[in-house]
Amino acid sequence: MNTYPNAYWLEAIQHYLGQMVAVQQDGNRVQQGVLAAICPDYIVLDVCQTPFYIRIDKIVWIMPFLKK
């Protein structure tokens, strides 16, 4: 049986797949994009059709991006 140290994040962000999200990383960097993929070690954000790979252990928070 495989156990991942990031199991909490993997389950918590599963329902955001395909949605626009904002992700804060270490160093107060915030990236916005469509959550395109979730892997055991990283997520992929689609930002203007460009993939951004973010390591899960660098995520401070993630939330849906709501337009006003």
Side-chain angles (χ1 to χ4, degrees):
M1 181 172 97
N2 290 336
T3 59
Y4 298 106
N6 302 316
Y8 169 77
W9 281 111
L10 294 174
E11 187 172 333
I13 64 177
Q14 197 71 30
H15 64 279
Y16 294 143
L17 195 57
Q19 296 182 19
M20 185 74 142
V21 295
V23 179
Q24 181 181 357
Q25 305 172 58
D26 289 350
N28 292 330
R29 290 175 287 168
V30 176
Q31 184 68 53
Q32 299 173 1
V34 175
L35 183 57
I38 302 170
C39 299
D41 293 335
Y42 61 92
I43 63 171
V44 181
L45 288 184
D46 181 3
V47 181
C48 297
Q49 299 179 347
T50 302
F52 280 80
Y53 298 86
I54 300 173
R55 294 196 50 89
I56 291 178
D57 61 353
K58 300 296 182 185
I59 297 174
V60 175
W61 54 255
I62 185 169
M63 60 186 277
F65 182 73
L66 303 174
K67 295 181 181 178
K68 290 185 176 185

